[in-house]
Amino acid sequence: MTEQSRTLSNVLVTGGAGFIGSNFIRFLLSDEGFNGKVFNLDSLTYAGNLENLRDVHDEHGGTRYHFIEADIRDFERVDEIFAKYEIDTVVHFAAESHVDRSIVGPRAFIETNIIGTVNLLEAARARWAGRDDVLFHHVSTDEVFGSLGETGQFNESTPYDPKSPYSASKASSDHLVRAWGHTYGLPFTISNCSNNYGPYQFPEKMIPVMIMNMVDRKPLPVYGDGSNVRDWLYVDDHSSAILRIMRSGRSSETYVVGGENEWQNLKLVGSLCTIVAEETKGDADELLDLITFVTDRPGHDLRYAIDCTKTKSELGWTQRHTFAEGLRHTVRWYLDNPTWVNHIRSGEYRKWMERNYDRR
Ligand code: NAD
Ligand code: DAU
């Protein structure tokens, strides 16, 4: 196992108002070994929601936690933030993250995921010249590796083969981070993770869409025949992997992270029906009847699976949450937080959905 432990002082978290970023900030600030400050840079797109961090703001706002509304597409602003807050560590989550949206409108994905990443890299290069006590951690996805057939797993050596505008933009950003490391000596690490689930996930992604539609007794839109497979990881397990990589990961290295927890979509929706029925004292069969097969996502990747041997053996990381426990906790969270849910429902998300999606 790697012995090295970096000190993280002034940590810039990009996209910290989103799903994983907000969970990561909460996780980091509650870590006993972390004494630094967190600067949350987010432009608050439809997916950014400061309500995700209400508790963090109440406890640490103005002391160890600072929100900065800024857009990573704006280089001057990003550069100014690096200097002003003496940033020594970056955890880069900010991205357009939804595959379906990338199919409807790819341009925003190029601008934020590629140009935005270059702006951060350029600010880091300028402000960190010659330093080796700094780190740029880039949060990426397993989707850069493309789609698996019935067998096999992705690992750190899998060739890139992105298939959607989203995954192609994330693949580009990975290559750019490596290029800045190789050419300019920028200290970096990269993680490529599988599908996350948990509290605060925006209801455009499969699990919250299904939970919220079950509660509303609306159709449950399963793409194609529901045979696509995803490898699900509880969001705090992703956060713990990222923190380990930031502390002890070798510079210039990539670590893949996954749940070792493959599920066919249709089977997963069935399990969610059972859990929601149990938690609401409802009838699972009534929920199962809501399953509606809808037109498939164009170019829909069949299967993702991760072999995270390197991350486990080098960093001593492992998943802590079983799927049964994590899913039930997630269902309870959506049931117990109607204000959060209703706020999202009445916002831009709904208008955008009506314009762009056929949910039947
Ligand atoms: P999300 O869509 O919930 O959040 C993205 C955040 O980035 C939002 O707060 C948004 O306001 C912000 N943002 C978007 N464009 C911005 C810009 N131009 N400037 C500043 N902020 C901007 O996404 P998520 O699901 O939390 O994913 C976070 C990161 O993790 C992404 O880079 C994604 O590719 C990666 N990832 C996600 C998963 C997953 O299952 N969700 C898995 C692996 C990797
Ligand atoms: O693998 C990591 C990736 O996981 C991340 O990089 C992405 O940011 C994240 O969005 C996620 O991508 P997916 O496309 O796998 O997630 P999504 O929740 O959109 O879809 C999961 C599966 O469920 C996929 O096979 C499509 C299907 N699906 C999705 C939705 C929203 C449905 O059948 N019905 C739906 O309504």
Side-chain angles (χ1 to χ4, degrees):
M1 250 170 64
T2 311
E3 295 293 316
Q4 174 194 7
S5 186
R6 292 187 187 87
T7 303
L8 315 171
S9 300
N10 293 331
V11 180
L12 182 68
V13 179
T14 71
F19 163 51
I20 308 177
S22 61
N23 279 288
F24 177 79
I25 289 174
R26 185 174 294 102
F27 187 90
L28 179 62
L29 284 168
S30 65
D31 182 86
E32 284 183 3
F34 177 68
N35 302 312
K37 291 181 180 171
V38 171
F39 299 92
N40 173 13
L41 184 169
D42 200 297
S43 65
L44 301 180
T45 67
Y46 77 93
N49 182 357
L50 288 176
E51 282 189 34
N52 295 359
L53 288 160
R54 259 192 186 179
D55 55 332
V56 168
H57 176 80
D58 289 348
E59 192 178 347
H60 301 290
T63 54
R64 298 184 65 207
Y65 168 73
H66 304 263
F67 173 68
I68 307 162
E69 186 169 354
D71 194 317
I72 59 170
R73 293 172 300 180
D74 179 350
F75 172 72
E76 305 296 329
R77 183 91 170 97
V78 168
D79 187 52
E80 173 195 302
I81 290 163
F82 260 76
K84 182 170 175 188
Y85 300 104
E86 300 180 356
I87 300 301
D88 55 53
T89 311
V90 172
V91 200
H92 178 30
F93 292 97
E96 291 291 341
S97 68
H98 191 36
V99 174
D100 292 339
R101 284 179 188 258
S102 83
I103 294 166
V104 176
R107 193 169 297 278
F109 288 70
I110 307 308
E111 289 169 359
T112 284
N113 300 0
I114 303 180
I115 307 293
T117 300
V118 169
N119 286 338
L120 286 161
L121 289 167
E122 278 295 82
R125 177 163 83 97
R127 299 291 167 184
W128 292 349
R131 287 180 64 176
D132 60 6
D133 59 337
V134 289
L135 182 73
F136 190 109
H137 180 73
H138 179 55
V139 180
S140 192
T141 170
D142 60 355
E143 298 196 13
V144 299
F145 302 123
S147 180
L148 291 165
E150 300 294 325
T151 58
Q153 291 180 312
F154 300 133
N155 64 30
E156 289 80 2
S157 309
T158 305
Y160 275 49
D161 187 19
K163 306 278 192 194
S164 71
Y166 163 70
S167 55
S169 70
K170 291 296 291 188
S172 305
S173 65
D174 292 12
H175 290 317
L176 289 162
V177 173
R178 287 196 189 95
W180 259 244
H182 182 78
T183 307
Y184 305 117
L186 184 82
F188 78 88
T189 46
I190 297 178
S191 51
N192 295 91
C193 188
S194 66
N195 287 62
N196 284 214
Y197 71 98
Y200 302 103
Q201 187 165 30
F202 193 83
E204 62 185 352
K205 309 286 165 59
M206 200 254 253
I207 287 182
V209 163
M210 297 301 170
I211 297 172
M212 284 171 57
N213 284 14
M214 284 178 208
V215 171
D216 293 347
R217 300 293 189 270
K218 284 185 179 164
L220 310 176
V222 172
Y223 296 172
D225 63 2
S227 63
N228 302 68
V229 173
R230 296 294 182 264
D231 172 9
W232 293 95
L233 179 72
Y234 190 68
V235 63
D236 282 352
D237 284 333
H238 188 187
S239 292
S240 73
I242 291 172
L243 189 51
R244 278 187 192 241
I245 295 166
M246 288 165 64
R247 285 216 171 103
S248 308
R250 285 180 290 140
S251 193
S252 311
E253 289 289 317
T254 294
Y255 296 87
V256 299
V257 180
E260 298 176 301
N261 178 40
E262 292 180 49
W263 282 72
Q264 276 198 334
N265 291 340
L266 187 57
K267 211 170 157 224
L268 173 51
V269 174
S271 287
L272 278 170
C273 288
T274 305
I275 298 172
V276 171
E278 285 169 3
E279 294 295 328
T280 57
K281 305 203 183 338
D283 179 359
D285 288 336
E286 195 192 317
L287 298 180
L288 286 166
D289 282 346
L290 295 172
I291 291 175
T292 309
F293 294 96
V294 299
T295 310
D296 207 356
R297 172 186 283 173
H300 196 171
D301 288 344
L302 177 67
R303 176 174 163 260
Y304 307 139
I306 292 273
D307 169 6
C308 38
T309 306
K310 173 181 169 183
T311 308
K312 288 187 154 182
S313 61
E314 264 194 34
L315 304 175
W317 173 82
T318 193
Q319 309 90 349
R320 298 270 173 223
H321 298 270
T322 65
F323 202 37
E325 168 231 321
L327 264 192
R328 194 168 291 272
H329 180 74
T330 303
V331 166
R332 274 257 57 99
W333 189 88
Y334 281 90
L335 296 175
D336 292 343
N337 287 277
T339 310
W340 187 93
V341 167
N342 290 333
H343 181 104
I344 293 271
R345 272 205 187 103
S346 60
E348 177 59 27
Y349 167 68
R350 195 181 185 99
K351 291 182 209 149
W352 196 93
M353 290 272 296
E354 282 164 7
R355 282 201 302 274
N356 293 287
Y357 281 91
D358 173 17
R359 298 246 155 218
R360 263 161 268 189

